[in-house]
Amino acid sequence: AKRMGFAPLDPVLHNQLRLAVMSLLVAVEEGDFNFLLEKTCATRGNLSVQITKLKEAGYITVKKTFKNNYPNTVCSISQKGLKAFEQYVKAIKDYLKTE
Protein backbone atom coordinates (compact mmCIF):
# COMPACT_ATOMS: atom_id res chain seq x y z
CA ALA A 1 0.00 0.00 0.00
CA LYS A 2 1.28 3.44 -0.95
CA ARG A 3 1.79 5.70 2.05
CA MET A 4 0.64 9.28 1.90
CA GLY A 5 3.10 11.96 3.03
CA PHE A 6 2.84 13.19 6.57
CA ALA A 7 1.64 16.70 7.27
CA PRO A 8 4.45 18.84 8.69
CA LEU A 9 4.03 19.52 12.40
CA ASP A 10 3.57 23.16 13.37
CA PRO A 11 6.95 24.24 14.81
CA VAL A 12 5.25 26.69 17.17
CA LEU A 13 3.25 23.88 18.77
CA HIS A 14 5.95 21.21 18.48
CA ASN A 15 7.47 22.24 21.79
CA GLN A 16 6.52 20.55 25.04
CA LEU A 17 5.83 23.66 27.09
CA ARG A 18 4.02 25.61 24.35
CA LEU A 19 1.87 22.56 23.63
CA ALA A 20 1.10 22.22 27.36
CA VAL A 21 0.07 25.90 27.56
CA MET A 22 -2.15 25.53 24.50
CA SER A 23 -3.75 22.34 25.86
CA LEU A 24 -4.55 24.09 29.14
CA LEU A 25 -5.97 27.15 27.39
CA VAL A 26 -8.15 24.99 25.11
CA ALA A 27 -9.70 23.48 28.26
CA VAL A 28 -10.30 26.74 30.13
CA GLU A 29 -11.69 30.07 28.97
CA GLU A 30 -8.56 31.88 30.13
CA GLY A 31 -5.68 31.22 32.46
CA ASP A 32 -3.41 33.55 34.35
CA PHE A 33 0.34 33.21 34.56
CA ASN A 34 0.31 31.57 38.00
CA PHE A 35 -2.26 28.99 36.89
CA LEU A 36 -0.11 28.08 33.88
CA LEU A 37 3.02 28.07 36.05
CA GLU A 38 1.43 25.69 38.55
CA LYS A 39 0.00 23.35 35.91
CA THR A 40 3.11 23.14 33.72
CA CYS A 41 5.74 23.12 36.54
CA ALA A 42 7.87 25.31 34.26
CA THR A 43 10.24 28.02 35.45
CA ARG A 44 8.92 31.58 35.35
CA GLY A 45 11.50 32.61 32.77
CA ASN A 46 10.84 29.72 30.41
CA LEU A 47 7.05 30.06 30.68
CA SER A 48 7.34 33.78 30.01
CA VAL A 49 9.42 33.15 26.85
CA GLN A 50 7.00 30.51 25.53
CA ILE A 51 3.95 32.71 26.20
CA THR A 52 5.65 35.47 24.19
CA LYS A 53 6.29 33.06 21.30
CA LEU A 54 2.66 31.91 21.28
CA LYS A 55 1.52 35.55 21.39
CA GLU A 56 3.85 36.51 18.50
CA ALA A 57 2.43 33.61 16.46
CA GLY A 58 -1.06 35.00 17.12
CA TYR A 59 -2.13 31.79 18.89
CA ILE A 60 -2.97 33.42 22.22
CA THR A 61 -3.95 36.83 23.47
CA VAL A 62 -2.25 38.23 26.55
CA LYS A 63 -3.81 40.79 28.84
CA LYS A 64 -1.65 42.41 31.49
CA THR A 65 -3.65 43.72 34.44
CA PHE A 66 -3.19 44.30 38.14
CA LYS A 67 -4.72 42.07 40.81
CA ASN A 68 -4.32 43.17 44.45
CA ASN A 69 -1.59 45.59 43.33
CA TYR A 70 0.38 42.78 41.69
CA PRO A 71 0.87 42.49 37.93
CA ASN A 72 -1.33 39.74 36.53
CA THR A 73 -0.90 38.23 33.05
CA VAL A 74 -4.02 36.56 31.67
CA CYS A 75 -3.79 34.37 28.57
CA SER A 76 -6.54 33.07 26.34
CA ILE A 77 -6.48 31.10 23.11
CA SER A 78 -7.30 32.92 19.85
CA GLN A 79 -9.35 31.56 16.94
CA LYS A 80 -6.11 31.18 14.98
CA GLY A 81 -4.57 29.31 17.91
CA LEU A 82 -7.55 27.00 18.28
CA LYS A 83 -7.45 26.16 14.57
CA ALA A 84 -3.69 25.53 14.69
CA PHE A 85 -4.09 23.33 17.78
CA GLU A 86 -6.84 21.26 16.12
CA GLN A 87 -4.71 20.83 12.99
CA TYR A 88 -1.72 19.80 15.11
CA VAL A 89 -3.79 17.18 16.97
CA LYS A 90 -5.11 15.87 13.64
CA ALA A 91 -1.57 15.67 12.22
CA ILE A 92 -0.38 13.72 15.28
CA LYS A 93 -3.31 11.32 14.89
CA ASP A 94 -2.29 10.76 11.27
CA TYR A 95 1.22 9.88 12.43
CA LEU A 96 -0.23 7.33 14.85
CA LYS A 97 -2.43 5.61 12.27
CA THR A 98 -0.98 2.31 11.11
CA GLU A 99 -2.35 0.79 7.96
Side-chain angles (χ1 to χ4, degrees), residues 17 33 37 40-49:
L17 184 51
F33 189 84
L37 196 62
T40 60
C41 299
T43 62
R44 284 183 170 274
N46 192 8
L47 181 59
S48 190
V49 167

Side-chain angles (χ1 to χ4, degrees), residues 16-75:
Q16 195 177 344
L17 184 51
R18 289 195 295 266
L19 189 60
V21 168
M22 292 293 284
S23 300
L24 288 164
L25 292 178
V26 163
V28 296
E29 202 70 8
E30 56 181 31
D32 70 13
F33 189 84
N34 288 334
F35 165 79
L36 295 172
L37 196 62
E38 186 188 314
K39 294 286 186 190
T40 60
C41 299
T43 62
R44 284 183 170 274
N46 192 8
L47 181 59
S48 190
V49 167
Q50 303 315 330
I51 284 174
T52 300
K53 287 190 176 170
L54 288 169
K55 182 185 162 194
E56 285 169 355
Y59 288 4
I60 64 171
T61 55
V62 178
K63 281 185 302 205
K64 289 189 184 285
T65 58
F66 278 87
K67 191 163 133 187
N68 304 329
N69 291 331
Y70 289 100
N72 190 42
T73 300
V74 179
C75 304

Side-chain angles (χ1 to χ4, degrees), residues 4-20:
M4 302 269 291
F6 287 110
L9 295 175
D10 185 333
V12 176
L13 296 178
H14 202 59
N15 165 286
Q16 195 177 344
L17 184 51
R18 289 195 295 266
L19 189 60

